[in-house]
Each structure stands twice: as C-alpha cells, then as structure tokens.
Amino acid sequence: METRQGGCNCGAVRLQAEGPPLRTGLCHCLTCRKATGSVFNAFAVWPRDRVAVTGDTRHWENRHFCPGCGSSVFALSEPEYEIEIYLGSFDAGPGDLPPVYELWVKRREGWLPPLPGVAQHVEDRPQP
Ligand SMILES: [Zn+2]
Ligand SMILES: [Zn+2]
C-alpha cells in the first residue's frame, strides 16, 4: 500500500495518507495565495478516511495550520469527506504527484508559465 508521511515544520502536526490521491492540482486563487504566503498552492486530494492526522491544528475557514509553527498543512472540504493536503507538507520532496490541472489561472503570475499538458481552468474546476 502506498503511504505518504508529512507534517508541519515543528513536528507537532503529523499526517499519513494511504493509497493514491483522487487528484492533484495547483490553485492560483487569492485565498490560496494568502493562505500559503506563496503565489500558488499545490495540493493533492484524498478521501478523508484515508488520511490520519495527529496533533492539534487551528483553522481559518476550512484551512488548517499548526498553532506552534504556523505551517499550513491541509484543508477539509465541506462536508468533510475530502482532505486536501498541501504538497509541501510531505516529508519526501520532490514527490511523485504531478498536478493534473491548474485552477484560477487568471490569477497566475505573469512570469509563471502554464504547466504543459495540464488542464487550465480560468476559475474553479467545473462541477461534475
Ligand atoms: Zn508545527
Ligand atoms: Zn485556491
């Protein structure tokens, strides 16, 4: 079984994801920019019950971070059946989870080219 370990900078928050993610993406939206302090957010999504999280988190809306070191670690969808783990949270980096789509590309920095061969969405992913 493929297992991935991750957590925050100080180690108080740890997570373990079992099995392959449902999908992996990048988001350039303003909320992701501010939540991560970077110009885009890279994440992978698992069913909530495939990820074990230990350690207390604080959260703003659905985005969880470590109260000790401030690292952004994951976001929960509502209702909480999916968990979006920020790729930079994984211990093994560079990892093996290339994004398959980009969101909010209208907010992408002008100096940042689109990822080749990856679906480009102007805003959010179209709802199924
Ligand atoms: Zn921490
Ligand atoms: Zn976003």
Side-chain angles (χ1 to χ4, degrees), residues 2 6 13 24-25 28 30 49 54 69-70 72 75 82 84 86 89 92-93 97-98 110 112 117 119 122-123:
E2 112 190 67
V13 178
T24 303
H28 303 272
L30 291 178
D49 61 4
T54 57
C69 67
S72 292
E82 287 183 352
E84 179 181 299
Y86 302 144
S89 299
L97 298 171
L112 193 62
V122 175
E123 294 184 351

Side-chain angles (χ1 to χ4, degrees), residues 60-110:
W60 175 76
E61 298 192 345
N62 63 335
R63 295 168 188 261
H64 289 249
F65 56 93
C66 174
C69 67
S71 302
S72 292
V73 188
F74 63 88
L76 297 175
S77 66
E78 295 184 19
E80 296 184 1
Y81 51 71
E82 287 183 352
I83 179 169
E84 179 181 299
I85 300 175
Y86 302 144
L87 287 188
S89 299
F90 288 109
D91 299 337
D96 58 345
L97 298 171
V100 298
Y101 58 82
E102 289 189 69
L103 305 178
W104 284 88
V105 298
K106 71 183 194 183
R107 301 286 189 214
R108 181 172 45 221
E109 293 290 325

Side-chain angles (χ1 to χ4, degrees), residues 12-74:
V13 178
R14 296 292 301 161
L15 56 82
Q16 178 167 301
E18 298 288 349
L22 300 169
R23 58 189 182 275
T24 303
L26 294 187
C27 185
H28 303 272
C29 82
L30 291 178
T31 310
C32 281
R33 291 166 58 104
K34 289 183 181 294
T36 60
S38 188
V39 293
F40 62 87
N41 177 21
F43 58 87
V45 179
W46 276 265
R48 180 66 188 90
D49 61 4
R50 306 312 303 275
V51 177
V53 178
T54 57
D56 290 331
T57 57
R58 295 260 175 84
H59 62 96
W60 175 76
E61 298 192 345
N62 63 335
R63 295 168 188 261
H64 289 249
F65 56 93
C66 174
C69 67
S71 302
S72 292
V73 188
F74 63 88

